[in-house]
Amino acid sequence: MPVATSGRAMILSLHARAIFVVCSPLVAGNGLAGCTSASDRARDRELPFEPAATLVELMDSEIDPAADALWASVASITNEEGFEERQPRTDDEWLELRRRAITLAEASNLVAMKGRRVTAGYVAARAAGELDSAEAQRRIDANPDVLRAFANALHETSVSALHAIDAKDPAALLQAGGAIDAACEACHLSFWYPDSKP
Amino acid sequence: MTRWLQKIFVAVLTFASLTLLEADSVAHHSFAMFDFTKAISFKGSVKEFLWTNPHVILWFSVDPAKEGDPRPVWWAELTSPGNLTRVGWSKHSFKANEPIEIEIHPLRDGSQGGAFKQAKRLETGEVLTSNLRDAERPGLH
């Protein structure tokens, strides 16, 4: 066995023994209550996840492409050639959309994650009414629960899309797409372009 | 398939892709790209009506300023199908080649597009309205 693997196995083994030693008297005296309490405390500790991407990068690499795919999947098109209903038709097309809905639903959890910065460095506002990255960060830091609520709304609407996809229901998917847009827009109006007035 | 037919096929596909790209390119943005202090109107006809999320798009041909000029195609962005449905619109709200008089809030960069304000059907006089910013405000959904 390689040294590193061997050492890791030993540490894990020591951890297991320590848990056993700590829990044994508690189990004897109070049933499982003591151990449950210890595991609760462990669960409540901050998990050691480190964001690798900024919020803007997360939007650009996961959320926006996934949302765009869901939005573009259902459309009604009227032009000189007639009337066309665009929707997923094959099992493969539905499966691909399902992957996008899962990406969007899980990426919304990443938006809610603590410690993620808006951008790596200062980025100026791109247009009138938009916030620069410093002001966006200040507002998020001052209102983390609001950001989390918006992220939860995106999660719920993404799950609605997932259900529509599982039911292969284009009308429900179009409706879920509108709800996803509303969830995005509500967050953007708070943290991206709150002042886009005439 | 002959070579010239192949070329036509490729050209058609390219045009279709560009059209879709244009639609996708206006999918995700702030309202700041539109100048809501201005409104411009045109007489023309419906080229294409795309009923999709996050924004419904209406392409329309503008009547030429001079005889013989090609008719430029502009686009107008609306809110989502869900929001429009709630105020009486449907995916059949416009027909191809339908003559209209349309009013939009133009793009700040001067290119051929804007936020939809209203359209009047020239055949019936019916007026369809939608305010993009108000429709997208939270609490209206």
Side-chain angles (χ1 to χ4, degrees):
Chain A
M1 180 184 291
V3 175
T5 308
S6 173
R8 184 176 176 81
M10 184 181 291
I11 290 167
L12 289 173
S13 174
L14 286 172
H15 278 186
R17 286 180 200 174
I19 290 168
F20 178 78
V21 169
V22 167
C23 287
S24 292
L26 297 171
V27 170
N30 303 311
L32 287 172
C35 286
T36 302
S37 176
S39 72
D40 281 350
R41 282 197 298 276
R43 188 185 59 207
D44 289 345
R45 282 202 304 269
E46 279 296 317
L47 293 170
F49 297 136
E50 290 293 333
T54 65
L55 201 51
V56 169
E57 288 172 329
L58 183 62
M59 294 289 162
D60 181 58
S61 59
E62 291 196 44
I63 290 179
D64 208 20
D68 281 346
L70 295 177
W71 286 329
S73 67
V74 183
S76 302
I77 305 158
T78 302
N79 56 29
E80 290 174 335
E81 295 170 7
F83 179 74
E84 178 198 346
E85 292 277 23
R86 185 200 299 166
Q87 64 169 84
R89 299 187 188 278
T90 67
D91 287 347
D92 284 348
E93 287 170 346
W94 283 110
L95 178 60
E96 180 55 30
L97 270 187
R98 193 173 198 283
R99 291 177 177 135
R100 301 304 188 101
I102 287 174
T103 298
L104 189 58
E106 293 300 349
S108 67
N109 291 326
L110 300 178
V111 172
M113 198 173 142
K114 290 179 182 175
R116 192 180 302 281
R117 309 292 295 173
V118 173
T119 54
Y122 175 78
V123 177
R126 293 178 304 178
E130 295 185 8
L131 302 178
D132 62 30
S133 61
E135 178 59 18
Q137 186 71 61
R138 191 193 67 73
R139 293 187 182 209
I140 287 173
D141 291 344
N143 304 282
D145 293 342
V146 175
L147 179 69
R148 210 162 296 133
F150 287 138
N152 288 342
L154 178 59
H155 182 81
E156 289 174 9
T157 53
S158 305
V159 170
S160 297
L162 193 56
H163 291 160
I165 291 165
D166 286 342
K168 295 186 176 178
D169 184 342
L173 182 54
L174 184 72
Q175 190 173 2
I180 288 168
D181 174 47
C184 293
E185 197 64 28
C187 191
H188 293 169
L189 282 166
S190 290
F191 297 120
W192 180 11
Y193 42 82
D195 302 318
S196 56
K197 296 172 183 171
Chain B
M1 187 185 293
T2 61
R3 185 173 294 276
W4 68 271
L5 269 177
Q6 284 177 335
K7 285 182 179 176
I8 290 174
F9 184 61
V10 169
V12 168
L13 279 181
T14 303
F15 175 76
S17 302
L18 287 174
T19 304
L20 289 174
L21 276 175
E22 188 176 8
D24 288 344
S25 70
V26 297
H28 226 72
H29 56 76
S30 76
F31 302 126
M33 63 197 282
F34 303 116
D35 186 350
F36 286 95
T37 65
K38 293 179 183 169
I40 53 176
S41 63
F42 306 90
K43 282 188 177 176
S45 59
V46 173
K47 187 80 175 170
E48 183 164 307
F49 185 49
L50 176 63
W51 182 262
T52 192
N53 282 306
H55 299 290
V56 172
I57 305 288
L58 175 68
W59 280 274
F60 54 98
S61 299
V62 173
D63 287 343
K66 296 177 187 174
E67 193 174 333
D69 282 355
R71 301 177 81 205
V73 176
W74 285 57
W75 57 265
E77 180 181 300
L78 295 101
T79 184
S80 66
N83 287 340
L84 288 172
T85 300
R86 279 186 277 279
V87 293
W89 289 58
S90 81
K91 58 189 175 185
H92 300 296
S93 284
F94 286 105
K95 292 177 287 190
N97 297 319
E98 180 179 1
I100 55 171
E101 183 171 2
I102 184 168
E103 195 170 1
I104 63 170
H105 300 292
L107 286 165
R108 291 183 190 276
D109 69 4
S111 52
Q112 296 179 347
F116 182 94
K117 186 179 180 192
Q118 66 174 36
K120 180 179 179 181
R121 298 186 203 281
L122 293 180
E123 290 175 344
T124 64
E126 181 188 2
V127 176
L128 298 170
T129 61
S130 173
N131 184 308
L132 175 63
R133 285 185 313 145
D134 287 349
E136 301 266 320
R137 292 279 177 211
L140 294 177
H141 307 285

mmCIF file of all heavy atoms in Angstrom, chain A residues 167-189:
data_model
loop_
_atom_site.group_PDB
_atom_site.id
_atom_site.type_symbol
_atom_site.label_atom_id
_atom_site.label_comp_id
_atom_site.label_asym_id
_atom_site.label_seq_id
_atom_site.Cartn_x
_atom_site.Cartn_y
_atom_site.Cartn_z
ATOM 1 N N ALA A 167 -42.663 15.015 -17.343
ATOM 2 C CA ALA A 167 -44.011 14.759 -17.866
ATOM 3 C C ALA A 167 -44.072 14.969 -19.384
ATOM 4 O O ALA A 167 -45.116 14.761 -19.995
ATOM 5 C CB ALA A 167 -45.017 15.677 -17.178
ATOM 6 N N LYS A 168 -42.951 15.396 -19.980
ATOM 7 C CA LYS A 168 -42.889 15.704 -21.417
ATOM 8 C C LYS A 168 -44.045 16.631 -21.814
ATOM 9 O O LYS A 168 -44.767 16.383 -22.769
ATOM 10 C CB LYS A 168 -42.880 14.423 -22.258
ATOM 11 C CG LYS A 168 -41.627 13.586 -22.020
ATOM 12 C CD LYS A 168 -41.521 12.405 -22.945
ATOM 13 C CE LYS A 168 -40.202 11.674 -22.701
ATOM 14 N NZ LYS A 168 -40.031 10.480 -23.520
ATOM 15 N N ASP A 169 -44.160 17.700 -21.042
ATOM 16 C CA ASP A 169 -45.272 18.641 -21.202
ATOM 17 C C ASP A 169 -44.724 20.017 -21.637
ATOM 18 O O ASP A 169 -44.282 20.808 -20.795
ATOM 19 C CB ASP A 169 -46.003 18.763 -19.856
ATOM 20 C CG ASP A 169 -47.234 19.637 -19.938
ATOM 21 O OD1 ASP A 169 -47.358 20.417 -20.896
ATOM 22 O OD2 ASP A 169 -48.073 19.548 -19.021
ATOM 23 N N PRO A 170 -44.738 20.326 -22.943
ATOM 24 C CA PRO A 170 -44.163 21.595 -23.419
ATOM 25 C C PRO A 170 -44.871 22.826 -22.843
ATOM 26 O O PRO A 170 -44.220 23.832 -22.566
ATOM 27 C CB PRO A 170 -44.357 21.535 -24.934
ATOM 28 C CG PRO A 170 -44.720 20.148 -25.263
ATOM 29 C CD PRO A 170 -45.280 19.509 -24.035
ATOM 30 N N ALA A 171 -46.189 22.750 -22.660
ATOM 31 C CA ALA A 171 -46.912 23.914 -22.120
ATOM 32 C C ALA A 171 -46.459 24.200 -20.689
ATOM 33 O O ALA A 171 -46.247 25.355 -20.315
ATOM 34 C CB ALA A 171 -48.413 23.662 -22.168
ATOM 35 N N ALA A 172 -46.301 23.141 -19.909
ATOM 36 C CA ALA A 172 -45.824 23.319 -18.534
ATOM 37 C C ALA A 172 -44.382 23.819 -18.518
ATOM 38 O O ALA A 172 -43.992 24.615 -17.653
ATOM 39 C CB ALA A 172 -45.945 22.007 -17.764
ATOM 40 N N LEU A 173 -43.597 23.365 -19.490
ATOM 41 C CA LEU A 173 -42.203 23.816 -19.576
ATOM 42 C C LEU A 173 -42.136 25.300 -19.942
ATOM 43 O O LEU A 173 -41.317 26.044 -19.402
ATOM 44 C CB LEU A 173 -41.444 22.965 -20.596
ATOM 45 C CG LEU A 173 -39.957 23.263 -20.775
ATOM 46 C CD1 LEU A 173 -39.204 23.209 -19.449
ATOM 47 C CD2 LEU A 173 -39.340 22.279 -21.768
ATOM 48 N N LEU A 174 -43.027 25.732 -20.839
ATOM 49 C CA LEU A 174 -43.092 27.157 -21.182
ATOM 50 C C LEU A 174 -43.481 27.982 -19.956
ATOM 51 O O LEU A 174 -42.904 29.033 -19.683
ATOM 52 C CB LEU A 174 -44.116 27.380 -22.304
ATOM 53 C CG LEU A 174 -44.222 28.810 -22.836
ATOM 54 C CD1 LEU A 174 -42.989 29.174 -23.673
ATOM 55 C CD2 LEU A 174 -45.479 28.996 -23.678
ATOM 56 N N GLN A 175 -44.432 27.463 -19.196
ATOM 57 C CA GLN A 175 -44.875 28.165 -17.979
ATOM 58 C C GLN A 175 -43.740 28.226 -16.954
ATOM 59 O O GLN A 175 -43.492 29.269 -16.342
ATOM 60 C CB GLN A 175 -46.084 27.444 -17.394
ATOM 61 C CG GLN A 175 -46.763 28.216 -16.274
ATOM 62 C CD GLN A 175 -48.053 27.562 -15.826
ATOM 63 O OE1 GLN A 175 -48.446 26.492 -16.325
ATOM 64 N NE2 GLN A 175 -48.739 28.177 -14.887
ATOM 65 N N ALA A 176 -43.046 27.104 -16.787
ATOM 66 C CA ALA A 176 -41.912 27.082 -15.844
ATOM 67 C C ALA A 176 -40.820 28.042 -16.313
ATOM 68 O O ALA A 176 -40.174 28.714 -15.495
ATOM 69 C CB ALA A 176 -41.366 25.667 -15.729
ATOM 70 N N GLY A 177 -40.632 28.133 -17.628
ATOM 71 C CA GLY A 177 -39.630 29.059 -18.174
ATOM 72 C C GLY A 177 -39.946 30.492 -17.815
ATOM 73 O O GLY A 177 -39.053 31.283 -17.490
ATOM 74 N N GLY A 178 -41.228 30.842 -17.844
ATOM 75 C CA GLY A 178 -41.630 32.190 -17.442
ATOM 76 C C GLY A 178 -41.358 32.439 -15.970
ATOM 77 O O GLY A 178 -40.927 33.530 -15.575
ATOM 78 N N ALA A 179 -41.592 31.420 -15.158
ATOM 79 C CA ALA A 179 -41.337 31.564 -13.715
ATOM 80 C C ALA A 179 -39.836 31.672 -13.438
ATOM 81 O O ALA A 179 -39.410 32.419 -12.543
ATOM 82 C CB ALA A 179 -41.934 30.366 -12.975
ATOM 83 N N ILE A 180 -39.037 30.945 -14.212
ATOM 84 C CA ILE A 180 -37.573 31.058 -14.068
ATOM 85 C C ILE A 180 -37.133 32.480 -14.424
ATOM 86 O O ILE A 180 -36.324 33.093 -13.722
ATOM 87 C CB ILE A 180 -36.864 30.019 -14.968
ATOM 88 C CG1 ILE A 180 -37.061 28.615 -14.396
ATOM 89 C CG2 ILE A 180 -35.375 30.341 -15.121
ATOM 90 C CD1 ILE A 180 -36.648 27.496 -15.338
ATOM 91 N N ASP A 181 -37.682 33.016 -15.504
ATOM 92 C CA ASP A 181 -37.356 34.393 -15.902
ATOM 93 C C ASP A 181 -37.728 35.383 -14.799
ATOM 94 O O ASP A 181 -36.961 36.298 -14.484
ATOM 95 C CB ASP A 181 -38.093 34.735 -17.200
ATOM 96 C CG ASP A 181 -37.916 36.198 -17.581
ATOM 97 O OD1 ASP A 181 -36.772 36.679 -17.551
ATOM 98 O OD2 ASP A 181 -38.917 36.862 -17.899
ATOM 99 N N ALA A 182 -38.909 35.183 -14.197
ATOM 100 C CA ALA A 182 -39.348 36.094 -13.131
ATOM 101 C C ALA A 182 -38.406 36.010 -11.928
ATOM 102 O O ALA A 182 -38.081 37.039 -11.314
ATOM 103 C CB ALA A 182 -40.772 35.749 -12.712
ATOM 104 N N ALA A 183 -37.955 34.795 -11.608
ATOM 105 C CA ALA A 183 -37.018 34.617 -10.479
ATOM 106 C C ALA A 183 -35.691 35.318 -10.779
ATOM 107 O O ALA A 183 -35.120 36.000 -9.917
ATOM 108 C CB ALA A 183 -36.799 33.134 -10.209
ATOM 109 N N CYS A 184 -35.207 35.158 -12.003
ATOM 110 C CA CYS A 184 -33.951 35.822 -12.402
ATOM 111 C C CYS A 184 -34.120 37.343 -12.320
ATOM 112 O O CYS A 184 -33.260 38.041 -11.776
ATOM 113 C CB CYS A 184 -33.571 35.436 -13.835
ATOM 114 S SG CYS A 184 -33.127 33.716 -14.070
ATOM 115 N N GLU A 185 -35.211 37.812 -12.893
ATOM 116 C CA GLU A 185 -35.431 39.251 -12.990
ATOM 117 C C GLU A 185 -35.528 39.895 -11.605
ATOM 118 O O GLU A 185 -34.989 40.986 -11.377
ATOM 119 C CB GLU A 185 -36.712 39.507 -13.795
ATOM 120 C CG GLU A 185 -36.844 40.907 -14.323
ATOM 121 C CD GLU A 185 -35.755 41.262 -15.332
ATOM 122 O OE1 GLU A 185 -35.239 40.360 -16.015
ATOM 123 O OE2 GLU A 185 -35.406 42.442 -15.402
ATOM 124 N N ALA A 186 -36.228 39.231 -10.690
ATOM 125 C CA ALA A 186 -36.390 39.792 -9.341
ATOM 126 C C ALA A 186 -35.029 39.981 -8.674
ATOM 127 O O ALA A 186 -34.769 41.008 -8.038
ATOM 128 C CB ALA A 186 -37.275 38.864 -8.506
ATOM 129 N N CYS A 187 -34.154 39.002 -8.834
ATOM 130 C CA CYS A 187 -32.815 39.091 -8.245
ATOM 131 C C CYS A 187 -31.996 40.177 -8.947
ATOM 132 O O CYS A 187 -31.322 40.982 -8.301
ATOM 133 C CB CYS A 187 -32.111 37.733 -8.348
ATOM 134 S SG CYS A 187 -30.595 37.635 -7.384
ATOM 135 N N HIS A 188 -32.077 40.202 -10.282
ATOM 136 C CA HIS A 188 -31.302 41.202 -11.032
ATOM 137 C C HIS A 188 -31.733 42.624 -10.673
ATOM 138 O O HIS A 188 -30.910 43.531 -10.619
ATOM 139 C CB HIS A 188 -31.472 40.969 -12.535
ATOM 140 C CG HIS A 188 -30.863 39.692 -13.011
ATOM 141 N ND1 HIS A 188 -31.076 39.163 -14.256
ATOM 142 C CD2 HIS A 188 -30.040 38.809 -12.375
ATOM 143 C CE1 HIS A 188 -30.418 38.031 -14.391
ATOM 144 N NE2 HIS A 188 -29.780 37.789 -13.257
ATOM 145 N N LEU A 189 -33.034 42.796 -10.434
ATOM 146 C CA LEU A 189 -33.528 44.133 -10.091
ATOM 147 C C LEU A 189 -33.081 44.575 -8.701
ATOM 148 O O LEU A 189 -33.143 45.752 -8.371
ATOM 149 C CB LEU A 189 -35.058 44.177 -10.197
ATOM 150 C CG LEU A 189 -35.592 44.293 -11.633
ATOM 151 C CD1 LEU A 189 -37.079 43.988 -11.697
ATOM 152 C CD2 LEU A 189 -35.316 45.684 -12.203
#
